[in-house]
Amino acid sequence: MLAQAANFAVAYLDLNHFKPFNDIYGYSKGDAVLQMLAEIIQQQAIGTEHFIGHIGGDDFVLITASELAESLCQQILAQFAAKIPAYYAYDDAQKGGITALNRSGESCFYPLLSLAIGIATPDPQLCISHHDVAAISTAAKCEAKKLGGNAFSIYYRDVVGQIAILFCHWLDHLLLELG
């Protein structure tokens, strides 16, 4: 798509509070949630030209036409929010979440799993490779996670913003090479 200078969007999907869910309910239940999310993404993208990928863990990517991204992501969020309570014990679903230890070992309340989606529309004139697209998509996902709950954030094709992200990406790469 970059080589063709095509307009496209990358939706980076990430679950909020997945680790505590796995800690309480176990990996098989966590895997079932991941499978459910993958099925939702596939169902919503049917009939469109798209690419769906599982990046790893609880991260997924959906690459689609720019004009379809927002409505697809709204549908994915709605389906996920409707289905996720069924993956919890009745009492936890009624409470709206679970109590689990955080990374510091302290007891903490975590709301029901939710989905953060960052949507990026990379500029093919600025992005040299898929690494640049990944950097912009990651920035979009980080913005969506700041919103909390089932939410998406759209990172529109902002030349100044993309140049800043790409510069930081390039600088990180250079520093890694220099050791």
Side-chain angles (χ1 to χ4, degrees), residues 4-83:
Q4 297 168 1
N7 287 326
F8 66 99
V10 178
Y12 190 144
L13 300 88
D14 186 21
L15 291 172
N16 297 315
H17 311 300
F18 188 65
K19 182 186 179 324
F21 179 87
N22 262 351
D23 290 348
I24 296 297
Y25 284 99
Y27 291 108
S28 63
K29 193 79 158 204
D31 288 347
V33 168
L34 296 177
Q35 182 65 39
M36 178 263 294
L37 177 55
E39 289 170 3
I40 290 171
I41 298 167
Q42 290 171 342
Q43 290 166 0
Q44 294 306 317
I46 286 175
T48 67
E49 287 191 32
H50 63 273
F51 171 83
I52 299 169
H54 180 215
I55 296 171
D58 62 330
D59 294 1
F60 291 84
V61 66
L62 168 63
I63 302 173
T64 189
S66 298
E67 62 273 7
L68 299 176
E70 186 173 345
S71 65
L72 281 174
C73 290
Q74 286 175 335
Q75 293 167 17
I76 290 167
L77 286 171
Q79 285 289 311
F80 183 82
K83 290 185 177 188

Side-chain angles (χ1 to χ4, degrees), residues 48-127:
T48 67
E49 287 191 32
H50 63 273
F51 171 83
I52 299 169
H54 180 215
I55 296 171
D58 62 330
D59 294 1
F60 291 84
V61 66
L62 168 63
I63 302 173
T64 189
S66 298
E67 62 273 7
L68 299 176
E70 186 173 345
S71 65
L72 281 174
C73 290
Q74 286 175 335
Q75 293 167 17
I76 290 167
L77 286 171
Q79 285 289 311
F80 183 82
K83 290 185 177 188
I84 198 60
Y87 289 82
Y88 285 84
Y90 178 80
D91 290 344
D92 290 337
Q94 293 300 306
K95 288 188 300 188
I98 56 175
T99 301
L101 299 179
N102 65 17
R103 294 180 192 270
S104 301
E106 301 163 342
S107 184
C108 187
F109 181 79
Y110 293 95
L112 298 180
L113 286 172
S114 59
L115 185 60
I117 306 176
I119 302 171
T121 55
D123 186 335
Q125 304 303 316
L126 295 175
C127 296

Side-chain angles (χ1 to χ4, degrees), residues 107-167:
S107 184
C108 187
F109 181 79
Y110 293 95
L112 298 180
L113 286 172
S114 59
L115 185 60
I117 306 176
I119 302 171
T121 55
D123 186 335
Q125 304 303 316
L126 295 175
C127 296
I128 296 169
S129 75
H130 63 281
H131 297 289
D132 296 338
V133 173
I136 293 167
S137 302
T138 300
K141 179 203 66 163
C142 290
E143 290 303 311
K145 288 196 78 74
K146 289 178 188 176
L147 298 173
N150 289 300
F152 69 91
S153 174
I154 303 174
Y155 188 87
Y156 289 104
R157 192 176 289 165
D158 170 324
V159 174
V160 174
Q162 287 193 30
I163 289 172
I165 291 168
L166 294 174
F167 176 75

